[in-house]
Amino acid sequence: MQRRLFTLVAACAALLPLGAQAQNALDTIVAKKLITIAIPTDFPPYGFVGPDLKPQGLDIDMANYVASKLGVKVELVPVTTANRIPYLQTKKADLVISTLGRNPEREKVIDFTAAYSPFYIGVFAPKSMTVKAPADLAGKSVSVTRGSVDDAELTKVVPANAEVRRFEDNNGTVSAYVSGQVQIITTAVAVAANMMQRNPQLNTELKFSLKDSPNFIGVAKGEDKLRARVNEIVAAAKSSGDLEKMSQKWLGRSTGELPN
């Protein structure tokens, strides 16, 4: 009996470091004075490569902002829509700031901070095309980024006889529409605005909205200390007007009411 009791106590003691390890991301970041943040480089104006070949955009500004408030240096890691969550799960990134929407499926595998920026999803097509509602997509081709919130919302309403072409990144989604491979594109309003500015000859317009889906910062499951600290930073940035400044700078619009 004593031997079994000793074995049980030893087993419990062995588990304690594991529990502590699951909550040590913030301590590690502070100790190393470095945070690794996954960001987009194919999703203007949230993230793209500038003339100097360096990432820029709203999400990059937010990543730098979080790092500065933590008092650490930042390593920016470019990701795609498909691999941003796996990067967080495999500890290739401490945070994901990459137009990440919150939904029940994602909440099963990662945690989220409060929202930091607005994100509106819409369906866009040439002005000459009559598209007023999801039913009008019947028989037409539509591009969308695979695994994105855009994809999830489009899938809910698209008619069975529409041709939905899914691309692995946002550059592919936009290029397919611009080059005429598809007739319609589903993407963020800000992304479409950038696309329309660059390609005025397409005479593209917003046909209808799909969803208001704010962006959240992704945190690995169980890293509650890090999530709480980042929430403090987001809350302070909201109160000070810093989030509003970023939104106006990159999106040309207010943040509106952002959820916690």
Side-chain angles (χ1 to χ4, degrees), residues 23-104:
Q23 293 276 342
N24 73 350
L26 180 58
D27 296 335
T28 301
I29 290 166
V30 173
K32 293 172 61 177
K33 298 188 181 301
L34 176 70
I35 186 169
T36 304
I37 302 179
I39 48 94
T41 54
D42 64 345
F43 211 105
Y46 292 95
F48 58 100
V49 178
D52 59 357
L53 301 182
K54 294 181 180 180
Q56 60 179 278
L58 191 154
D59 286 357
I60 285 75
D61 279 5
M62 189 64 197
N64 288 323
Y65 186 89
V66 169
S68 69
K69 295 302 180 181
L70 288 172
V72 300
K73 293 182 179 180
V74 61
E75 178 183 354
L76 300 176
V77 181
V79 291
T80 64
T81 298
N83 69 16
R84 56 191 171 171
I85 290 178
Y87 263 54
L88 194 59
Q89 294 174 303
T90 57
K91 299 187 182 300
K92 292 180 180 178
D94 299 306
L95 299 174
V96 171
I97 304 181
S98 180
T99 61
L100 189 63
R102 185 174 67 188
N103 59 44

Side-chain angles (χ1 to χ4, degrees), residues 22-23 88 106-111 219-224:
Q23 293 276 342
L88 194 59
R106 289 173 178 170
E107 287 183 306
K108 293 177 183 177
V109 294
I110 66 172
D111 289 331
V219 186
K221 273 291 183 186
E223 293 293 353
D224 296 334

